[in-house]
Structures are given as C-alpha cells and as structure tokens.
Amino acid sequence: MKFFLWVALVVFFSGCNNSEKENTEINGDIVYDMYKPSEMSILMNEMYDYNLKIKQEILEGKTPVNFPTNFLNIYTAELSEFKSRNETFQAYSSLFVENQKEICNTDAHSDISERYNNAINLCISCHKTECTGPIPKIKKLLIN
Ligand code: HEC
C-alpha cells in the first residue's frame, strides 16, 4: 500500500509519467529520489501561469502586449530526463514560440482568442509527443 502511495506521489509531482526510472534500490529497499524540478519544468509552470493570466485578460477584452522573452529558454532549458532534443522537439519549440508571440502582435488580423488558442494547441501538440501527463491541465487554458 505504502509503495503505491509513493509511486502515485512521484508521478503526481513530476508532471510526466515516467519518473519511476529515477528510483534506486539500496539493500533491497527502493529509495525514491525527492522530486527536484528541472529548468524546463520551472519554465513550463511559468508558461502555464502566464497563459492563465492572459486568458483572463483576453476574456475581459484586453490585449496582452508583452511576449515574455524568457520563454525563449525553451530552446535551451535543461530537461529532467537525460533526453536530448530531437528535431520534432525543436520544430514544436519554434512553432510554439512563433504562435505565443503572435498573441501580442497588435497588427495581426485574426481574432485574439483564435491566436491564443493556436498557441495553447501547440503546447498540447508537443505534449502529445513528449509528456502526456499535463495535457488535461493544459486543455483548461483553451478559450471555448
Ligand atoms: C516543445 C515541446 C513543448 C511545448 C511547446 C510545451 N511543453 Fe510543456 N513540457 C514539455 C516537456 C518535455 C516537459 C517535461 C519537462 C521536464 O520534466 O524536464 C513539459 C512539462 C510541462 C508541465 C509539467 C511541469 C512540471 O511541474 O513538471 C506543464 C504544466 C507544462 N509542460 C505546460 C505547458 C504549457 C502550458 C505549454 C504552452 C504554453 C507547454 N507546456 C508547451 C514540452 C513542451
């Protein structure tokens, strides 16, 4: 029972579903590493909070004007697993950044909530390839 509780906790805090690999076995006991967020996890949570904030602004009829430049760290932030970035990952990073910037483009012709949803859908697309755990949470960011 205790074992299952720990696994559930580890999975819950890591966001992705594959952190059990980080456990080590000492004298037959399984030792669970304390979850330490990676640079990428921290960045992702900032991206989540920012989008939650601007969703509210957009619903209130405001237009966000400042693209947070630290989002460009998506190209370099260290990942929690020793995965290297493949071409798909890079492609999704660029598409996401482009679309997230477009929300703040005051010359854009398309509707702001449409541009916002395009960016959020790119979060989801990348997550489908890399890390499916947070998808239900990300979907709540969409403007219906
Ligand atoms: C280019 C691919 C990609 C894009 C685009 C992307 N993510 Fe992620 N996301 C990841 C990866 C990979 C992780 C796991 C990071 C790690 O554990 O090091 C992650 C982790 C997360 C997490 C879990 C963080 C935690 O606490 O561990 C959340 C929440 C999240 N992303 C939300 C978002 C949101 C919101 C967006 C869009 C605004 C987004 N992601 C865009 C790849 C992406």
Side-chain angles (χ1 to χ4, degrees):
M1 188 58 205
K2 229 174 163 184
F3 172 81
F4 287 110
L5 267 176
W6 269 109
V7 172
L9 277 175
V10 169
V11 171
F12 178 76
F13 283 114
S14 68
C16 290
N17 294 328
N18 32 16
S19 44
E20 289 104 312
K21 276 181 252 148
E22 287 161 24
N23 304 329
T24 28
E25 206 173 310
I26 300 172
N27 297 333
D29 287 328
I30 298 172
V31 177
Y32 295 90
D33 290 336
M34 290 284 285
Y35 173 59
K36 187 174 162 289
S38 64
E39 283 174 17
M40 190 62 121
S41 290
I42 294 167
L43 176 64
M44 288 287 158
N45 284 316
E46 286 172 7
M47 295 191 334
Y48 179 86
D49 292 344
Y50 169 81
N51 281 293
L52 191 63
K53 190 182 104 210
I54 67 169
K55 174 185 179 179
Q56 199 49 47
E57 290 176 3
I58 292 169
L59 290 174
E60 288 165 5
K62 295 181 207 151
T63 305
V65 287
N66 290 313
F67 167 77
T69 48
N70 70 313
F71 286 7
L72 297 174
N73 293 338
I74 193 170
Y75 296 116
T76 51
E78 163 222 325
L79 295 157
S80 57
E81 271 129 58
F82 301 108
K83 265 193 217 157
S84 54
R85 291 176 155 75
N86 57 23
E87 275 172 37
T88 317
F89 193 89
Q90 291 295 10
Y92 276 125
S93 304
S94 309
L95 275 172
F96 165 72
V97 165
E98 221 173 88
N99 279 268
Q100 180 85 69
K101 274 186 183 160
E102 194 58 19
I103 301 173
C104 303
N105 177 4
T106 46
D107 297 329
H109 296 296
S110 57
D111 187 52
I112 180 125
S113 39
E114 194 180 308
R115 278 178 279 139
Y116 170 84
N117 278 346
N118 286 343
I120 303 303
N121 278 318
L122 279 159
C123 308
I124 297 169
S125 303
C126 184
H127 275 259
K128 281 186 179 153
T129 67
E130 288 290 332
C131 162
T132 52
I135 290 178
K137 180 176 166 181
I138 300 173
K139 280 194 171 154
K140 293 194 191 132
L141 289 175
L142 288 168
I143 295 177
N144 297 307

